[in-house]
Amino acid sequence: ANFGFTVYQSHTNFILFKTGLRDLYDRLYKKGILIRKCGNFNGLDDTYYRIAVRCREDNEKLINAIREVIKNG
């Protein structure tokens, strides 16, 4: 899925990405999904997030939730 996020290459099971949504964490949290806010990482701000690559079902749940929060604002 392409949400207009900037996704950074990773060699681990974590994906770092940047989005214009400063409240993505809060929106997903309300749906029971936790992602890592990275605003306290050196050189990053509160538009950066990190997610873990998990099983297919969990990844699809995350993608669908992101799609929904973007669509519904």
Side-chain angles (χ1 to χ4, degrees), residues 14-53:
F14 293 103
I15 297 173
L16 176 69
F17 64 96
K18 178 178 175 54
T19 175
L21 302 172
R22 295 182 183 276
D23 63 345
L24 182 62
Y25 174 90
D26 297 325
R27 293 181 189 189
L28 291 175
Y29 180 80
K30 289 176 184 175
K31 296 190 163 299
I33 296 175
L34 292 176
I35 60 175
R36 174 70 159 91
K37 295 190 270 186
C38 296
N40 63 340
F41 287 23
N42 189 28
L44 304 183
D45 63 27
D46 59 354
T47 61
Y48 287 85
Y49 301 94
R50 189 179 73 185
I51 57 173
V53 176

